[in-house]
Amino acid sequence: MIETKDINFYYGSFHALKNISMKMEANTVTAFIGPSGCGKSTFLRLFNRMNELIAGTHLTGECLIDGENIYRKSVQVDELRKKVGMVFQKPNPFPKSIFENVAYGLRVNDIRNRSFIARRVEESLKAAALWDEVRDKLKKSAFELSGGQQQRLCIARALAVSPSILLMDEPASALDPVSTSKIEELIYSLKKEYTIVIVTHNMQQAARVSDRTGFFMLGELVEFNDTKKMFLNPEKEQTQNYITGRFG
C-alpha cells in the first residue's frame, strides 16, 4: 500500500504540491489526471525519490510504502527503486540487444547466474506481452522494435528486478492507437501482480484502466475517488468542469 500524509513539495520557492494526503491500495491501478503543470508527475516521482535528482527541491510530510516512510535517512534509495519501477513518457530502450535491455537491471545488481537471467528475461517479456513477438530476435537491437514494442520492452526491463510497484508517466502518449490499446490491456493484466500508478492526460484512458482516480489542479488534490464515481458523479464542481471539458 502507498500512503502520503500532508505532502508539500517545493521547487526552490515554488510550492508545487500542497498538503496532499492519499491512500492507494495494493494490486490496484490509480490514475492521476489534471491539466499540464498541475503537479501530477511531480507527485508520481515522489514514490521512487526521483525528484531528489533536481537541485533545490524540498519536501515536507510523509510518503509511506507498506507503512515505511521512504524518506527516512536510513532508506537505501537503490533498494527502493528496485521495489518501485518506473516507465517514462517516451520509450527509452538502451543501445543494446533486446535481451540485454531486460537483463540490464539484473546485471547492475550483480546477478551473474546465466540461467537465472535468461529465465527472468523470458518471464519479464511474457509479463509485458512481448515474448511471442521477439523470442526469435533477442540478440537484435532494441531500436529495431516499433515504438509500442519499445515501450513494452521498457516495461519488461522494469519488471525484471521484481518490483512491487510500477509507476507510469504518460506511458502511451507517444504511441499510436493500436499500441496504446496494447499498453492499456497490459496495465489491466499487470495489476494482478503489481500496484500501478499512472499519470495520463487522456481521461478516457484513466476511465478504462484505473480503479481509482485523483484529479489535480494547481498543486492540490481536488478529488480522489473510485474512477466510475469520479467520471459519472464527481463530488467537486472543479472535477465536473474538467471532465466535461469546460477547461484544461
Side-chain angles (χ1 to χ4, degrees), residues 29-194:
V29 179
T30 301
F32 298 155
I33 62 171
S36 295
C38 67
K40 55 189 184 296
S41 289
T42 296
F43 189 60
L44 182 81
R45 293 194 298 265
L46 289 179
F47 306 134
N48 66 351
R49 293 178 56 166
M50 281 199 66
N51 289 326
E52 292 182 355
L53 301 174
I54 304 169
T57 58
H58 175 61
L59 171 76
T60 65
E62 290 185 306
C63 184
L64 304 107
I65 294 178
D66 295 333
E68 180 183 22
N69 185 358
I70 64 172
Y71 282 85
R72 287 190 300 108
K73 290 183 179 180
S74 60
V75 171
Q76 297 292 317
V77 178
D78 289 346
E79 292 298 316
L80 171 69
R81 289 178 183 154
K82 279 194 277 184
K83 184 176 183 178
V84 185
M86 183 89 181
V87 177
F88 297 93
Q89 182 172 1
K90 292 183 179 179
N92 60 340
F94 300 144
K96 298 174 180 288
S97 69
I98 293 168
F99 183 95
E100 288 301 327
N101 261 271
V102 184
Y104 179 81
L106 301 171
R107 298 197 193 283
V108 165
N109 286 290
D110 291 324
I111 294 172
R112 295 288 178 259
N113 186 305
R114 291 184 179 182
S115 61
F116 177 81
I117 291 174
R119 185 169 69 253
R120 283 300 299 151
V121 168
E122 180 176 342
E123 289 170 351
S124 301
L125 287 168
K126 284 179 176 177
L130 190 58
W131 174 253
D132 290 340
E133 298 169 43
V134 302
R135 62 190 303 171
D136 297 324
K137 46 185 176 183
L138 295 176
K139 293 182 179 180
K140 292 190 175 183
S141 169
F143 295 136
E144 293 184 22
L145 299 175
S146 70
Q149 288 175 322
Q150 287 185 11
Q151 190 65 303
R152 282 182 283 147
L153 179 68
C154 293
I155 293 171
R157 188 175 67 201
L159 298 180
V161 293
S162 302
S164 57
I165 296 167
L166 194 58
L167 310 178
M168 296 183 163
D169 193 357
E170 296 273 3
S173 65
L175 305 180
D176 62 87
V178 173
S179 297
T180 295
S181 178
K182 289 185 178 181
I183 294 293
E184 290 180 4
E185 290 173 7
L186 179 56
I187 291 169
Y188 186 81
S189 67
L190 286 175
K191 75 173 182 178
K192 298 171 188 174
E193 301 291 334
Y194 306 93

Side-chain angles (χ1 to χ4, degrees), residues 10-22:
Y10 302 82
Y11 292 104
S13 61
F14 176 65
H15 196 177
L17 296 173
K18 303 169 185 176
N19 301 310
I20 297 179
S21 297
M22 175 188 288

